[in-house]
Amino acid sequence: MDFARDERAEQFRLELRAFLDEHVTVDVIERVHDTGTVHDWGLHKALAERGWLDRFGLGPAEYNVLVEELARTGTPADGWGTAELVAHTLQIAGTDAQRTDVVPRVLGGEILVCLGYSEPDAGSDVASVATRAVPVSDGSGDWILNGQKMFTTMAHESAYVFLLTRTNLNVPKHRGLTLFLVPMDTTGIEVRAIETLGGERTNITFYTDVRVPDSCRVGDVDGGWEVMKTALAFERQAAAHGDASRMLDRAEAWARASGRIAEPDARRRLARVALENEVGKLLSWRSSWLHGRGGLPVVEGSMAKLWASESFRRTSADMIDLIGPTAVLQHGEADAPADGWVEHAFRHSQVMTIYAGTSEIQRSIIAERGLGLPRSR
Ligand SMILES: Cc1cc2nc3c(=O)[nH]c(=O)nc-3n(C[C@H](O)[C@H](O)[C@H](O)COP(=O)(O)OP(=O)(O)OC[C@H]3O[C@@H](n4cnc5c(N)ncnc54)[C@H](O)[C@@H]3O)c2cc1C
């Protein structure tokens, strides 16, 4: 990878920072804290108007800058993350109608798409999903869907769910899966909220005799695993190492304001966070750079996601330790150090090691696909 400073990307960073200064207002941030919904429609549409929901339109260096700055500023961007990764997966694996109808609306900021992969008994081993899709035998070509999905983040704001289903029970599990893009207003879909430790809202979604036309299918019947591989690589590559930069900014500001910056131990710990963040940034850049050259960075995406989330958990714990007992005061509480951002980072970092594949799963991918070690699962 060429690590030279990319002047165009740095110019873009300045433009983006001015945009975020204007749009990520205190109201936007407080609304996220109050509702747990890490999305803001006004901001999302403003990002789309500038063409910033489209990573291919941006180019890899600018895309990295965008991911970094969104996270660094605490921009509520969960909707942005899932919508753009499904849009790009549809560009590769969708039908002509999905590419011309759905993708422009997603990248134009009009609608969101959520991910319906995980189930109560299928998280890490997502190929074990039990939600069934059965063809209707009346010649219509329609499908009937039945099942339950866990952690369908943004389902309550989405127009579609990108739904992983089982279509064949008579073949090995990876070969009996099919993906559908299902409108959320279809009869038979129910959404229930889950509040998480990290403060964000996610959902359980239920599908009871949901009837959809075959035009909702994405990829071949029983060919869902191939589509999933593309979608998962996009998701892991988007690992937000920027969250840790935000924590460092806030922790450093606290150390300066409180005078603790004078302590060598405080400076050593802050420097350690900066170093770990730099490694996360470079891994993420490499993954995007590979992608920009036409590769699918499966192992590199896992490396970036694993490092960013594990390092964030380690460094946020260290910052809590540095601050001391008041570090557990939350955002909104009087005298919360760093306005509660370090405390929030500590809770959020635990969750980051779980979604988009747990650390154990990322290690297995790196071991098997990167290092050629024997399969452990
Ligand atoms: C906040 C949040 C948002 C999420 N959003 C979405 C979403 O929008 N859409 C969606 O579909 N899913 C979503 N998920 C689900 C997420 O992808 C799963 O939680 C994750 O894949 C882990 O699955 P699980 O929770 O079933 O845990 P399990 O798979 O049951 O894992 C439990 C533990 O066992 C370990 N483990 C499991 N298998 C292995 C193995 N083979 N080798 C070694 N260790 C193993 C895991 O690492 C973990 O520590 C979200 C999760 C969270 C917490």
Side-chain angles (χ1 to χ4, degrees):
M1 170 173 178
D2 179 3
F3 284 101
R5 188 180 151 91
D6 183 325
E7 287 308 328
R8 242 184 47 198
E10 290 312 313
Q11 196 53 43
F12 172 62
R13 191 187 297 275
L14 296 180
E15 187 190 344
L16 180 60
R17 281 188 174 169
F19 167 90
L20 295 174
D21 279 349
E22 184 190 338
H23 288 85
V24 186
T25 59
V26 172
D27 281 355
V28 167
I29 298 282
E30 292 308 319
R31 213 162 27 243
V32 174
H33 277 287
D34 290 346
T35 62
T37 297
V38 190
H39 173 74
D40 183 276
W41 276 109
L43 182 62
H44 186 74
K45 287 185 174 141
L47 281 167
E49 267 169 32
R50 282 160 182 77
W52 295 341
L53 292 191
D54 184 357
R55 76 172 82 180
F56 290 112
L58 277 173
E62 284 87 351
Y63 174 73
N64 267 321
V65 167
L66 181 60
V67 174
E68 279 169 21
E69 294 296 326
L70 290 180
R72 196 187 58 78
T73 48
T75 303
D78 276 8
W80 168 82
T82 54
E84 78 105 37
L85 87 85
V86 174
H88 293 313
T89 305
L90 291 177
Q91 278 170 330
I92 294 170
T95 61
D96 285 346
Q98 287 159 352
R99 274 196 289 269
T100 54
D101 174 35
V102 181
V103 171
R105 285 194 289 142
V106 175
L107 295 182
E110 285 172 49
I111 57 169
L112 294 181
V113 186
C114 58
L115 306 177
Y117 307 152
S118 307
E119 297 182 1
D121 292 321
S124 300
D125 187 13
V126 74
S128 304
V129 295
T131 293
R132 288 300 312 274
V134 178
V136 182
S137 56
D138 61 0
S140 62
D142 291 357
W143 296 81
I144 296 283
L145 316 177
N146 275 291
Q148 175 185 344
K149 294 287 174 182
M150 282 299 287
F151 305 120
T152 326
T153 308
M154 299 308 304
H156 58 299
E157 296 282 349
S158 295
Y160 290 92
V161 53
F162 193 48
L163 194 73
L164 184 65
T165 67
R166 177 153 310 284
T167 36
N168 195 335
L169 296 169
N170 302 316
V171 290
K173 61 184 176 184
H174 290 82
R175 292 204 217 125
L177 303 168
T178 304
L179 273 156
F180 290 87
L181 190 68
V182 181
M184 287 299 292
D185 59 3
T186 313
T187 307
I189 300 182
E190 189 195 336
V191 178
R192 274 190 221 160
I194 312 176
E195 311 299 334
T196 66
L197 168 79
E200 61 198 281
R201 174 190 166 155
T202 178
N203 305 283
I204 311 182
T205 48
F206 298 90
Y207 305 82
T208 311
D209 294 331
V210 175
R211 184 169 179 143
V212 293
D214 192 48
S215 56
C216 289
R217 179 161 52 81
V218 181
D220 294 334
V221 174
D222 296 346
W225 194 245
E226 286 308 306
V227 183
M228 280 293 287
K229 281 199 251 177
T230 305
L232 287 174
F234 279 134
E235 189 174 358
R236 285 168 191 157
Q237 188 199 344
H241 57 274
D243 281 318
S245 313
R246 181 178 68 218
M247 181 194 68
L248 178 61
D249 286 353
R250 303 294 170 127
E252 187 188 334
W254 161 83
R256 289 187 189 285
S258 63
R260 296 277 305 275
I261 195 81
E263 296 170 13
D265 180 52
R267 291 203 300 276
R268 186 186 56 78
R269 291 192 196 204
L270 287 164
R272 176 86 207 168
V273 181
L275 276 170
E276 295 220 8
N277 290 359
E278 186 69 11
V279 175
K281 185 177 85 180
L282 295 179
L283 286 171
S284 185
W285 280 11
R286 184 173 68 143
S287 177
S288 293
W289 176 78
L290 277 167
H291 183 240
R293 290 166 67 92
L296 194 58
V298 175
V299 173
E300 294 77 10
S302 287
M303 288 169 68
K305 198 275 173 178
L306 176 66
W307 178 272
S309 53
E310 290 279 319
S311 154
F312 191 29
R313 189 163 62 171
R314 205 164 40 239
T315 55
S316 57
D318 197 40
M319 289 297 98
I320 292 269
D321 191 49
L322 171 67
I323 294 170
T326 57
V328 297
L329 293 175
Q330 297 199 341
H331 175 80
E333 287 185 278
D335 302 325
D339 199 19
W341 281 104
V342 173
E343 187 277 341
H344 183 267
F346 178 67
R347 279 185 289 124
H348 183 58
S349 67
Q350 319 296 324
V351 179
M352 270 179 74
T353 63
I354 300 171
Y355 60 65
T358 65
S359 297
E360 287 73 24
I361 297 307
Q362 308 300 348
R363 286 194 183 95
S364 285
I365 292 170
I366 296 163
E368 290 160 21
R369 302 187 64 170
L371 302 175
L373 294 170
R375 278 184 67 82
S376 60
R377 291 165 284 155

